[in-house]
Amino acid sequence: LPRDIRDDFSLELWFATHGGGVGTGVTQWWQAAGLLDAEVPGMADDFGTSLDASGQVWAGTGSPDTSIHSGTGLDDGAWHHVVFTRAQATGETTLYIDGAPVATGHGGTQRLTSAPGLRIGALQSAATFFAGSIADAAVYNTVVPAATVTDHFSNRH
């Protein structure tokens, strides 16, 4: 997909899998199986979401690499809703799972322009593929408000 975002953004998707994540001992989003991702190897102004082998959803931004994550067990075969937001002015990131915020963090405040595009189901660098189903992926050039995230989950948008 074209990478039409670089400043404020939100990534949204639904996924379902039975053990489709990759990586144990993960500390950064780019060490797991890409869900919706703009990873560029090395220190880069990149970002993305992924799923590790324990069923944790990871989300983060680069330069410096800063990641947040959900709890484990989201590889249970059920459909799960993921939204990752980033506000450039503060570097604040938020990860929502199934309509509720589960983690917040702070990354850099620079423009995130390193990736040439976004990839669904793998890291943008063509590594660590996700094994499962992904539906209704959406990319916004704004921070989607919490109430909208909850609405999208509740109404299955």
Side-chain angles (χ1 to χ4, degrees):
L1 301 172
R3 183 202 39 80
D4 292 335
I5 54 173
R6 64 196 50 80
D7 303 325
D8 292 351
F9 64 79
S10 299
L11 305 178
E12 179 177 32
L13 61 97
W14 288 83
F15 80 91
T17 186
H18 284 288
V22 173
T24 57
V26 171
T27 60
Q28 296 292 336
W29 96 90
W30 47 264
Q31 296 170 321
L35 293 172
L36 182 53
D37 187 74
E39 156 65 3
V40 174
M43 282 302 258
D45 296 328
D46 51 1
F47 55 91
T49 61
S50 62
L51 184 74
D52 75 14
S54 73
Q56 285 183 306
V57 172
W58 286 81
T61 59
S63 196
D65 289 338
T66 307
S67 293
I68 54 180
H69 60 84
S70 70
T72 61
L74 295 172
D75 55 354
D76 58 3
W79 281 98
H80 294 285
H81 182 238
V82 175
V83 177
F84 173 50
T85 65
R86 186 257 188 165
Q88 181 188 16
T90 61
E92 183 174 355
T93 58
T94 304
L95 177 62
Y96 297 85
I97 302 293
D98 296 339
V102 297
T104 59
H106 286 86
T109 58
Q110 75 281 11
R111 300 184 101 194
L112 300 178
T113 59
S114 293
L118 294 169
R119 190 169 288 218
I120 297 173
L123 294 183
Q124 190 279 142
S125 57
T128 56
F129 290 84
F130 168 74
S133 298
I134 296 176
D136 300 322
V139 179
Y140 306 93
N141 64 358
T142 185
V143 175
V144 173
T148 301
V149 172
T150 301
D151 179 60
H152 285 192
F153 172 71
S154 298
N155 293 306
R156 307 294 194 258
H157 288 284

